[in-house]
Structure formats: structure tokens, C-alpha cells
């Protein structure tokens, strides 16, 4: 602040101008034209501007110029709408329903549809809305027992909206994601942000947001009567079923699936009053990755479509559930791919034989088991002896590591198209697949394990399977023990504020959501 005071030329009485200094054209910032100062101040980060306003009265008056704050809103938060020309039909950048209040007659008057933007300033939008709620922007996983979810909080126009992303209806895994608003925050008055719950079928109503701690916040509905329907729980269930599954209960003939659906409705409807969210990051990427990591939607039998996160960790790839089910809850690692053990599929005729596929996978499993046992024995021997390793003893390990790295490099090169692009692929008869139009060619396959468990995540175990890479946006997993096939398709949404600050932060996030699920 002292430096700024000297630059602004506060005067010798305050001791901030050097005595005897030669007069010149650049003695003080205040000698610059006001419009130039406004332009300069517009480049400063928004959080620094209040400190600058404390330097002197001239700076404080200049920082009331709304063009400075309009630029901060645009560059820091992507706001590109005009406060003076905002219309109801132009408010929504995605879905008008999420941003307008349905006009209802109440006490002979129409309720206010939109805030009074005519007397609002960008400074108010920045300080009272965008900056205040900046910590909730990004991707979040709601704490809804085993089911989890995917919430994306974004700045949309002059609103902050929490969109819940839902997979497409089963089994259409290649269809785009569905989304619905859960809450929104905006300025109904100049200096007071309003939080509204968007859950239910009676329009926006009063809500509350509390930032619990770093990377965690909660929402609360203050008017849960807006969530109820006149037809009672039966009507609510039928409406939820149409939105969640795109069908009626009579259309679902499988009794076990009906039980799972009813169980999910009863469980998730308990969370319509208060929800807690924990931040999740998109996985970092590397040039050597088989494909770009990210979020995928996949088929999970009677549980329908679920969302997983594919990430790469050196010699392994992991699929972590973002949404889950009563067997394998959200946060658990559903599949793990061993990139050091590729699987050579048989010719197309022998692929029709499940026993042949099973033999190949189990042979690789036995090979992996032997290698792990050998590595464990070597580590135990080294721990007991506590002796310096000779160069001769080091050599086999170094050669093994080099071979492992070479295998991983070959896998990465194959993903970039330097090896044959594809080979025929077909599922053997008896392997259950929810999606019958899976790709009939694949790039490569790897040995992997899939997590299975009983209801309530009882007796979990990792069982052998095969990871099948089809293209940059689709892969599959054959669950050998279940004799089932899951098809995964990339979620093609450009999520903002979702990058992990570091690989370590991403790894810590994975541990946290898995420990919470356990």
C-alpha cells in the first residue's frame, strides 16, 4: 500500500513523496488521465481492488467505475451478458426454466420474475455473488449413500447454478448426458445474494448454502413442501421413474430390477432437504496414456447406467465410481487395468467360444499371481538381510523394469496409432450385454480385475476380466465370473474449474472418496 501511495502522489505531508525530487512527467499515477487509470485497474485481479481503493480517495472513486468490474466478471468468471439489456428470454444460456421464476398470482399480484438489474452494478455482481460463492464452482460428488452423483456448479449469466448430471436412459450408453438444476444463486437485491432450491415441481423456493470446510459444502431447502405432489408418494414415484429410467414400472418385467428401483427411490428421497457435496477433480493426462482420461458412462446390468472416472497411474489404469449402487457404492474402484499384461484375443471363430476366452484370461491371471509372489519374496528377503545389493543382483531387476517400461511404451504407441488400428471383436454366447450394438472391432485388450460384492458391499473381491479398448471414446470390460459385459462411453462435456492442481491432489481426492464409501 505504501508503494501505491507513493505512486499516487499522496503528498509530502504524508511522507510518501521524496523531498527534492525533480519534477517530471511520471511523478504520479494521478497525473494520468482517469480513463487510462480505469483501463489499467481493469487488468488487476478482483480480490486486489479493495486494497487499491484504500490507497487514496481518488483511487476509491475511480474503482467505482463499473467497466472495471464488468471486465473482472468477464475475465475471471466468464460473464458476458449485459446488465442493461437483460431480458427474460435471454437470461438462460442453457435452459430458461433454470433461471426464471414461473409467474404465479399471489395476493392479487404477480410475483417478481427477475431481479431489478436496471439499478444493479457489476461491482455488486462480482463482490456479492461471484467472489463470495467462488469456492463452490466446479465438480462435486453428493453424499447420497451408495448412489453418489455428479454435480457441476457453474456461472451461467448472472446466476450460479448447480446442475446435477444424470446418465442417459438404460441402455443407451452413447446418448448425451441429461441434467437438471438443483439450486441457483443470484442477486434479487443489490448487495444480497439469494439462494433458491430448484428441487421439486413447484418452481424455485427458498434455500441455503453453507461452506462447511475446504472442498466441501452443503445445501438446505427451507420449503420442502414444494417437493411434494398432490397425488402423494405414488405420483412422486411415477414422476421420478419417468425421469430416472424413462419408463413406467409396468414396463420393467425383471422383478429384481423393480426392487432395486424402488429401493433407490425410497433412499434418495430422504435427501431432498439437505445434501453435502465433496469436490472431485478430473484426472490429469499424459501423452503416454492409452486414451484421454476422464468421465465415462457405463452399463451395470440391473443397476442401469453409472458414471465412472478413468485415470492412469503409471503401469495401471483405474475406473472409480462417481455414481454407485447397493452392491458397489460410489467412490469404489470398479475396475483396474494392468497395462503391463496385454491379452492377445483369439481369431474371430474362437472368440465365439467362452471357454477359450476364459482360458486366456486365467492364464494371464496366473502369470500375474506368480510375478506378484516372486516380487513379495524378493522384498521379504531384502528386508530380512538388510544387506547392500550387489550390482549383479541389481541387474535382473533393472532389466525387468526396462521390460515393463517398454511394454507400457508399446501400449501408449498403439493408442497413438503406430500399430495396427483394430482387430475383430465379438462377445461369446452366454456373456450378458445390456447393449447389443457394441463395436465389432477393437484396438487392444489388457488383463484387469473387476470389483464385485454382495448387497450392502458385503464380501467384496476382485475378480479377473478383460479390458477392451475400442476407440478414443469407448471401451468395455468383460467380467469373467459374472459372464457379463459392460460398455463405457465418454462423457463429452467441457467441465470448468475441474482440473486437479497436481497429481498428488488428485490421488488424495481418490483416497478420500474411496474411504468415505467404505
Amino acid at each position: 500500500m505504501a508503494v501505491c501511495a507513493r505512486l499516487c502522489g499522496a503528498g509530502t505531508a504524508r511522507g510518501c513523496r521524496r523531498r527534492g525530487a525533480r519534477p517530471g512527467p511520471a511523478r504520479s499515477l494521478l497525473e494520468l488521465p482517469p480513463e487510462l487509470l480505469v483501463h489499467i485497474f481493469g487488468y488487476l485481479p478482483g480480490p486486489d481492488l479493495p486494497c487499491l481503493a484504500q490507497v487514496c480517495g481518488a483511487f476509491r472513486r475511480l474503482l467505482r467505475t463499473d467497466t472495471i468490474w464488468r471486465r473482472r466478471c468477464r475475465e475471471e468468471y466468464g460473464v458476458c451478458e449485459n446488465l442493461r439489456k437483460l431480458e427474460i428470454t435471454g437470461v438462460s444460456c442453457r435452459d430458461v426454466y433454470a433461471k426464471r421464476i414461473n409467474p404465479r398470482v399471489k395476493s392479487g399480484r404477480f410475483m417478481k420474475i427477475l431481479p431489478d438489474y436496471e439499478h444493479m452494478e457489476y461491482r455488486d455482481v462480482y463482490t456479492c455473488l461471484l467472489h463470495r460463492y467462488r469456492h463452490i464452482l466446479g465438480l462435486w460428488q453428493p453424499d447420497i449413500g451408495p448412489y453418489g452423483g455428479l454435480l457441476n456448479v457453474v456461472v451461467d449469466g448472472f446466476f450460479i447454478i448447480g446442475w446435477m448430471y444424470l446418465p442417459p436412459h438404460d441402455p443407451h450408453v452413447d446418448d448425451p448426458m441429461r441434467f437438471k438444476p438443483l439450486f441457483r444463486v443470484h442477486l434479487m437485491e443489490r448487495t444480497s445474494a439469494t439462494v433458491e432450491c430448484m428441487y421439486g415441481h413447484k418452481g424455485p423456493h427458498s434455500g441455503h448454502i453453507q461452506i462447511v470446510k475446504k472442498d466441501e459444502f452443503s445445501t438446505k431447502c427451507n420449503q420442502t413442501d414444494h417437493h411434494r405432489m398432490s397425488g402423494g408418494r405414488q405420483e412422486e414415484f411415477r414422476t421420478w421413474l419417468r425421469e430416472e429410467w424413462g419408463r413406467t414400472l409396468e414396463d420393467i418385467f425383471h422383478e429384481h430390477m423393480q426392487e432395486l428401483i424402488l429401493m433407490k427411490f425410497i433412499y434418495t428421497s430422504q435427501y431432498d432437504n439437505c445434501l453435502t457435496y465433496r469436490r472431485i477433480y478430473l484426472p490429469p493426462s499424459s501423452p503416454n496414456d492409452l486414451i484421454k482420461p476422464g468421465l465415462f458412462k457405463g452399463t451395470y446390468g440391473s443397476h442401469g447406467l453409472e458414471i465412472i472416472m478413468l485415470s492412469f497411474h503409471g503401469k495401471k489404469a483405474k475406473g472409480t465410481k462417481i455414481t454407485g449402487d447397493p452392491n458397489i457404492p460410489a467412490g469404489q474402484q470398479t475396475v483396474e487395468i494392468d497395462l503391463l499384461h496385454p491379452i492377445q484375443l483369439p481369431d474371430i471363430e474362437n472368440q465365439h467360444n467362452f471357454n477359450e476366452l476364459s482360458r486366456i484370461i486365467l492364464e494371464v491371471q496366473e502369470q500375474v499371481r506368480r510375478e506378484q509372489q516372486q516380487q513379495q519374496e524378493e522384498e521379504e528377503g531384502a528386508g530380512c538381510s538388510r544387506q547392500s545389493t550387489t550390482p549383479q543382483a541389481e541387474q535382473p531387476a533393472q532389466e525387468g523394469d526396462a521390460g515393463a517400461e517398454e511394454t507400457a511404451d508399446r501400449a501408449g504407441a498403439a493408442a497413438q496409432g503406430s500399430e495396427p488400428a483394430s482387430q475383430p471383436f465379438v462377445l461369446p454366447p452366454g456373456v450378458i450385454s445390456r447393449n447389443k450394438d457394441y463395436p465389432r472391432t477393437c484396438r487392444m485388450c489388457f488383463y484387469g480385475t473387476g470389483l464385485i460384492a454382495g448387497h450392502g458391499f458385503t464380501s467384496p473381491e476382485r475378480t479377473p476380466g478383460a479390458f477392451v479398448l475400442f476407440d478414443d471414446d469407448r471401451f468395455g470390460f468383460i467380467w469373467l465370473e459374472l459372464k457379463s459385459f459392460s460398455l463405457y462411453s465418454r462423457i463429452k462435456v467441457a467441465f470448468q474449474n475441474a482440473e486437479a492442481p497436481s497429481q498428488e491432489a488428485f490421488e488424495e481426492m481418490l483416497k478420500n472418496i474411496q474411504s468415505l464409501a467404505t
Side-chain angles (χ1 to χ4, degrees):
M1 189 179 295
V3 174
C4 293
R6 287 198 299 270
L7 288 174
C8 77
T12 57
R14 297 185 181 182
C16 56
R17 179 182 296 171
R18 292 186 302 166
R19 294 182 179 180
R22 295 182 179 181
R27 290 183 304 171
S28 168
L29 281 177
L30 288 178
E31 295 180 6
L32 297 175
E35 58 273 17
L36 182 56
L37 286 176
V38 168
H39 182 74
I40 294 173
F41 292 166
Y43 283 96
L44 297 177
D48 294 344
L49 296 181
C51 295
L52 186 61
Q54 297 177 20
V55 173
C56 63
F59 280 11
R60 184 164 54 252
R61 288 188 295 272
L62 285 174
L63 288 172
R64 293 172 183 165
T65 307
D66 218 29
T67 55
I68 297 176
W69 297 99
R70 179 176 182 176
R71 182 171 185 169
R72 291 297 92 218
C73 291
R74 181 180 69 250
E75 294 187 359
E76 294 182 22
Y77 296 100
V79 175
C80 57
E81 298 187 44
N82 193 330
L83 281 171
R84 310 300 175 220
K85 298 180 180 180
L86 196 63
E87 299 177 356
I88 296 176
T89 56
V91 176
S92 177
C93 297
R94 183 191 291 172
D95 188 352
V96 175
Y97 163 74
K99 291 187 176 179
R100 60 182 298 183
I101 301 175
N102 296 329
R104 298 177 182 275
V105 177
K106 185 177 182 181
S107 302
R109 298 180 301 168
F110 281 97
M111 295 173 60
K112 196 174 189 179
I113 295 181
L114 284 174
D116 185 8
Y117 289 112
E118 188 64 30
H119 301 92
M120 197 171 293
E121 298 179 351
Y122 276 93
R123 182 177 60 177
D124 299 326
V125 174
Y126 185 95
T127 58
C128 302
L129 177 66
L130 302 178
H131 184 70
R132 179 182 176 185
Y133 288 94
R134 68 191 184 281
H135 297 298
I136 70 171
L137 299 177
L139 284 179
W140 304 83
Q141 185 183 51
D143 184 9
I144 313 180
Y147 297 103
L150 181 65
L151 179 81
N152 186 27
V153 183
V154 298
V155 175
D156 198 352
F158 296 105
F159 291 78
I160 292 178
I161 301 181
W163 296 94
M164 182 67 85
Y165 275 75
L166 306 172
H169 293 139
D170 181 52
H172 307 292
V173 70
D174 287 326
D175 286 358
M177 295 287 286
R178 300 173 295 127
F179 47 83
K180 65 178 181 179
L182 289 193
F183 63 84
R184 68 181 184 182
V185 190
H186 58 118
L187 296 182
M188 289 297 289
E189 299 176 359
R190 284 191 56 181
T191 58
S192 178
T194 298
V195 178
E196 291 179 314
C197 174
M198 305 291 289
Y199 189 86
H201 306 274
K202 296 183 180 179
H205 48 282
S206 175
H208 176 71
I209 289 179
Q210 180 181 3
I211 299 177
V212 180
K213 58 183 179 180
K214 185 179 183 297
D215 296 332
E216 184 176 325
F217 77 97
S218 63
T219 58
K220 181 180 180 181
C221 175
N222 299 328
Q223 296 174 278
T224 54
D225 58 301
H226 281 63
H227 304 174
R228 308 281 76 87
M229 302 184 72
S230 58
R233 296 286 280 176
Q234 290 186 352
E235 183 181 358
E236 293 172 14
F237 174 64
R238 286 194 296 267
T239 303
W240 174 87
L241 187 60
R242 285 195 300 269
E243 295 176 351
E244 185 81 9
W245 290 82
R247 63 185 80 174
T248 65
L249 196 63
E250 292 74 17
D251 296 331
I252 303 173
F253 302 106
H254 199 290
E255 184 176 350
H256 179 58
M257 183 179 292
Q258 291 181 349
E259 294 175 355
L260 292 173
I261 291 172
L262 184 58
M263 183 188 307
K264 184 175 182 179
F265 169 74
I266 295 174
Y267 194 98
T268 57
S269 61
Q270 302 175 24
Y271 289 83
D272 64 351
N273 177 41
C274 185
L275 266 177
T276 299
Y277 304 87
R278 296 178 178 86
R279 184 180 296 279
I280 59 176
Y281 298 117
L282 293 177
S285 60
S286 167
N288 291 328
D289 293 341
L290 279 179
I291 57 175
K292 182 180 178 181
L295 297 174
F296 291 77
K297 39 202 156 61
T299 55
Y300 277 87
S302 300
H303 298 294
L305 298 188
E306 298 184 12
I307 302 172
I308 75 159
M309 176 184 291
L310 180 68
S311 56
F312 292 90
H313 308 262
K315 303 170 185 177
K316 293 185 181 295
K318 300 178 181 179
T320 304
K321 279 197 171 187
I322 303 301
T323 63
D325 52 66
N327 292 77
I328 307 297
Q332 290 295 334
Q333 184 181 313
T334 176
V335 295
E336 181 177 279
I337 301 99
D338 190 338
L339 300 177
L340 297 182
H341 291 88
I343 291 178
Q344 182 62 45
L345 292 177
D347 53 50
I348 191 65
E349 290 78 11
N350 288 325
Q351 286 185 31
H352 289 278
N353 187 342
F354 177 78
N355 293 331
E356 178 65 14
L357 176 64
S358 177
R359 181 190 63 80
I360 294 174
I361 296 176
L362 293 178
E363 283 182 355
V364 179
Q365 180 193 31
E366 179 62 23
Q367 178 186 351
V368 172
R369 188 195 64 79
R370 289 196 303 267
E371 293 175 357
Q372 291 175 345
Q373 183 178 1
Q374 180 181 358
Q375 181 180 1
Q376 183 178 0
E377 292 174 353
E378 292 175 354
E379 291 176 353
E380 291 176 353
C384 294
S385 62
R386 299 294 182 183
Q387 296 178 356
S388 299
T389 307
T390 62
Q392 289 80 5
E394 285 182 355
Q395 188 64 28
Q398 292 176 354
E399 290 177 355
D401 291 342
E405 295 297 335
E406 184 180 351
T407 304
D409 292 341
R410 285 201 306 267
Q416 298 173 12
S418 58
E419 291 189 9
S422 63
Q423 64 183 98
F425 174 80
V426 65
L427 287 175
V431 175
I432 302 172
S433 175
R434 299 284 296 175
N435 201 309
K436 302 301 181 183
D437 57 348
Y438 60 87
R440 293 309 194 268
T441 59
C442 67
R443 291 182 182 174
M444 55 192 349
C445 299
F446 291 91
Y447 171 78
T449 59
L451 184 62
I452 63 174
H455 186 84
F457 197 48
T458 56
S459 305
E461 61 174 323
R462 305 210 68 87
T463 59
F467 170 85
V468 186
L469 179 63
F470 295 116
D471 52 45
D472 290 340
D473 297 322
R474 289 179 298 178
F475 64 88
F477 191 83
I478 301 175
W479 307 75
L480 194 61
E481 185 170 326
L482 301 178
K483 296 187 72 172
S484 68
F485 174 75
S486 293
L487 178 63
Y488 301 85
S489 179
R490 185 182 299 278
I491 296 177
K492 298 179 181 179
V493 177
F495 294 108
Q496 303 295 323
N497 302 297
E499 296 78 15
S502 65
Q503 181 68 36
E504 292 74 18
F506 177 77
E507 298 283 355
E508 186 66 23
M509 181 272 298
L510 284 184
K511 292 180 181 177
N512 290 338
I513 63 175
Q514 184 172 0
S515 62
L516 291 171
T518 305

